[in-house]
Amino acid sequence: MQTSTRDRIVVATARLLQRQGYVGTGIKQIAKESQATLGSIYHFFPGGKEAVAVAAIRHSGREFAALLKDSLDRQPEPSEAVLSCTRELAAGLRESGWVDGCPVTAAALETLGADSELQKACAEALNGWERLVLDKLLGCGFPADDARELATTVISAIEGAEVTAQVNRSEEPLLAAGRQLARLIRSYGIDAARR
Amino acid sequence: MQTSTRDRIVVATARLLQRQGYVGTGIKQIAKESQATLGSIYHFFPGGKEAVAVAAIRHSGREFAALLKDSLDRQPEPSEAVLSCTRELAAGLRESGWVDGCPVTAAALETLGADSELQKACAEALNGWERLVLDKLLGCGFPADDARELATTVISAIEGAEVTAQVNRSEEPLLAAGRQLARLIRSYGIDAARR
DNA sequence: ACAGCTCTAGAACGAACGCTCTACCCAATT
DNA sequence: AATTGGGTAGAGCGTTCGTTCTAGAGCTGT
């Protein structure tokens, strides 16, 4: 067998969570989409729906982290890196028909009240991404305080711009955010050449 | 009569949508929360759940627009206005125990696939807010292109920062975004005194 | 007094929800 | 050859979903 049943369940759930959120995604839909049966799902995830969702969110978190790290490593200049990242996201969004947005936002917003395992998984994913940006900025010589605040803002802005882009079915908000974030980063006057 | 039944339904639904999204909010829960009965709800909103949600989103859209307009009108400098707006949002978020975030994001993310009336209502709310910021910037002498891109970015960033703040149960992301947005706006070197 | 209207009230319906349960398949072990 | 156990399969449980429906309360105009 190419991919294990467990992996199929996680991947399918990740995509469903991204598109319809946690409450909007049913266990039976996961079963159908992943070509697994209820028996298999509850075999691998005795914790039920939430356990599946947690695994899926963690998967998505790692996946986007890899994409982000790629952008950050490829471009020496952090402003350029953010720009190229938003361009990639915009392209992906358009190609998916504006449905494949941030893989954790939808699920995160639905589980804010209760401090569930799922909520923690979403927070960890977000913070992991932020840390990648933070490390890049620190590595480029940004002072710690500025870097921290910038990293938070960059992730938040990309997050929000992706939602805006989805709602308006347009790449523009994401691209605009990329350009403005690049400008903001440049405004600190620290470039790679200076190091 | 203090508040009409119809208004109670709309207001209660708005709060529920803000906290639990569209799928997570049930008609019967709306009935209980708004002290109305199913009969009343379907009397005022023959369109069912979606019609109630559309009215609630429109209500929330107007409500936040008023808050935003207040901030923008009170501060002559747009950077200051954005700063004070994020401060207000941060305070409100903390006071609510991090549950009362953006009133449309949650609902918007769940209705992206289908181009429903609800999805349009969310888009209109977001665009209305963006327009307020845009008008402010234009009024302060920003060139049209810069103003448009800035307005989109400001709304997106605030949107995203609110989510990040909720997930991390901290005001910091919102305040950081406010400071960085203010810096970004200032970087255009157009201040009210110059006019 | 009566008819007509708006609004309230909640029982009842079919569908879908998350989950439990039993039965079965099949490769590895004894 | 028999047994074990990981994995597959899906019927069925109790509950909740959104919606429909009938019944009646309260007021207005005649």
Side-chain angles (χ1 to χ4, degrees):
Chain A
M1 192 187 302
Q2 286 283 36
T3 57
S4 72
T5 304
R6 208 198 116 103
D7 285 350
R8 285 205 317 276
I9 294 170
V10 170
V11 170
T13 306
R15 212 184 59 234
L16 289 173
L17 285 184
Q18 178 179 37
R19 297 188 178 188
Q20 354 177 2
Y22 180 66
V23 230
T25 301
I27 281 274
K28 283 168 187 169
Q29 191 184 9
I30 292 175
K32 194 185 300 177
E33 209 77 17
S34 62
Q35 312 246 55
T37 62
L38 278 181
S40 303
I41 294 179
Y42 280 93
H43 170 75
F44 288 113
F45 302 95
K49 183 181 174 178
E50 191 184 340
V52 182
V54 168
I57 290 291
R58 286 208 243 267
H59 169 79
S60 294
R62 280 192 303 269
E63 202 172 54
F64 180 68
L67 187 148
L68 185 59
K69 192 155 174 19
D70 246 38
S71 281
L72 293 175
D73 285 350
R74 198 160 38 230
Q75 307 280 345
E77 212 61 62
S79 59
E80 290 296 323
V82 168
L83 210 49
S84 94
C85 188
T86 54
R87 271 196 289 256
E88 270 189 66
L89 288 177
L93 211 51
R94 176 171 40 77
E95 281 162 21
S96 78
W98 318 107
V99 295
D100 284 345
C102 169
V104 318
T105 320
L109 282 177
E110 290 173 322
T111 51
L112 280 172
D115 53 328
S116 54
E117 206 63 37
L118 182 54
Q119 199 266 336
K120 283 182 217 157
C122 294
E124 272 167 33
L126 275 177
N127 291 329
W129 303 339
E130 192 177 311
R131 169 150 284 276
L132 286 178
V133 177
L134 174 62
D135 287 346
K136 171 74 173 181
L137 291 173
L138 289 176
C140 289
F142 278 72
D145 287 352
D146 291 342
R148 189 158 29 239
E149 207 164 293
L150 260 178
T152 312
T153 305
V154 165
I155 295 297
S156 289
I158 292 180
E159 201 81 34
E162 190 143 33
V163 175
T164 308
Q166 290 185 267
V167 169
N168 289 331
R169 295 171 198 268
S170 155
E171 301 181 62
E172 211 22 52
L174 209 33
L175 298 178
R179 285 190 290 266
Q180 295 299 319
L181 285 175
R183 180 191 177 103
L184 175 63
I185 294 171
R186 271 187 262 110
S187 83
Y188 282 84
I190 301 171
D191 51 41
R194 233 207 205 170
R195 274 182 293 165
Chain B
M1 194 188 302
Q2 285 281 37
T3 56
S4 73
T5 303
R6 208 199 115 103
D7 285 350
R8 284 204 318 276
I9 294 171
V10 170
V11 171
T13 306
R15 214 185 57 235
L16 289 173
L17 285 184
Q18 179 178 38
R19 299 189 178 187
Q20 352 177 4
Y22 180 66
V23 230
T25 300
I27 281 272
K28 282 166 189 173
Q29 190 184 11
I30 292 174
K32 195 184 298 177
E33 209 77 18
S34 62
Q35 313 247 53
T37 63
L38 280 180
S40 303
I41 294 179
Y42 279 93
H43 170 74
F44 288 111
F45 302 96
K49 184 181 175 180
E50 190 183 342
V52 182
V54 167
I57 290 291
R58 286 208 241 266
H59 169 79
S60 294
R62 281 192 302 268
E63 202 171 54
F64 181 68
L67 187 147
L68 184 59
K69 191 154 174 18
D70 245 38
S71 281
L72 293 175
D73 285 348
R74 200 161 36 232
Q75 307 280 346
E77 212 60 64
S79 58
E80 290 295 323
V82 168
L83 211 48
S84 93
C85 188
T86 54
R87 271 197 289 259
E88 270 188 68
L89 287 177
L93 211 50
R94 177 170 39 77
E95 280 161 22
S96 77
W98 318 107
V99 294
D100 284 345
C102 170
V104 319
T105 319
L109 282 176
E110 291 173 320
T111 51
L112 281 173
D115 53 328
S116 55
E117 206 62 38
L118 183 53
Q119 199 265 338
K120 281 182 217 157
C122 293
E124 272 167 33
L126 275 176
N127 291 329
W129 303 339
E130 192 177 313
R131 169 150 282 277
L132 286 178
V133 177
L134 174 61
D135 287 345
K136 171 73 173 183
L137 291 172
L138 290 177
C140 289
F142 278 73
D145 287 352
D146 292 341
R148 188 158 29 239
E149 205 162 293
L150 260 178
T152 313
T153 305
V154 165
I155 295 297
S156 289
I158 292 180
E159 201 81 35
E162 191 143 32
V163 175
T164 308
Q166 289 184 269
V167 169
N168 290 329
R169 294 171 199 268
S170 156
E171 300 179 63
E172 213 21 52
L174 209 33
L175 298 177
R179 285 190 291 265
Q180 296 298 321
L181 285 175
R183 181 192 176 101
L184 175 63
I185 294 171
R186 269 187 263 110
S187 83
Y188 282 84
I190 301 172
D191 49 41
R194 234 206 205 172
R195 274 180 294 167

